[in-house]
Amino acid sequence: MAIDENFLMSKIMELNTAIAQIGGKIDGFLQSQSGMQAEINGLKSRVGAVETDIVVIKSGWSTIRNRILGGSAVVSAAIGLFLTFGWPLLQKKLGL
C-alpha cells in the first residue's frame, strides 16, 4: 500500500490550522478572563470604599444620636427641676 504524501501533508496542514484556531480561541478566552478579573478587582476596591464610608457614617450617626440623647436628658432634667422648684416660686411671685 502506497503512502500518498500530498494527502498526508494536507491533513497535517489541516491539523496545524485547527490547532492554531484552538490556540487563538484559548488566548481570547484567557484575555477575557484577565479583563473580567480586572473588573472584579475594581469592584472589590469600590465595595471596600463603600464599606469604609458606611463605617464613617455609622460612627457619625452614633455621635449625633448620643448628643441628641444627652441634650434631651439635660433638657428633661431642667424641666423637671423647674416644675419641682421653679414653678411654685413663680406661682407665689405672680400670685397664680
Side-chain angles (χ1 to χ4, degrees), residues 36-56:
M36 283 189 241
Q37 185 64 42
E39 285 184 43
I40 289 170
N41 290 339
L43 289 172
K44 283 181 182 179
S45 65
R46 288 174 58 191
V47 167
V50 169
E51 287 175 342
T52 303
D53 291 344
I54 289 171
V55 168
V56 169

Side-chain angles (χ1 to χ4, degrees), residues 63-80:
T63 301
I64 292 169
R65 185 178 55 90
N66 289 339
R67 288 181 182 168
I68 290 171
L69 290 175
S72 168
V74 169
V75 169
S76 297
I79 291 172

Side-chain angles (χ1 to χ4, degrees), residues 10-23:
S10 67
K11 291 299 178 185
I12 290 173
M13 292 301 290
E14 286 178 25
L15 287 173
N16 284 338
T17 303
I19 289 171
Q21 288 175 345
I22 291 171

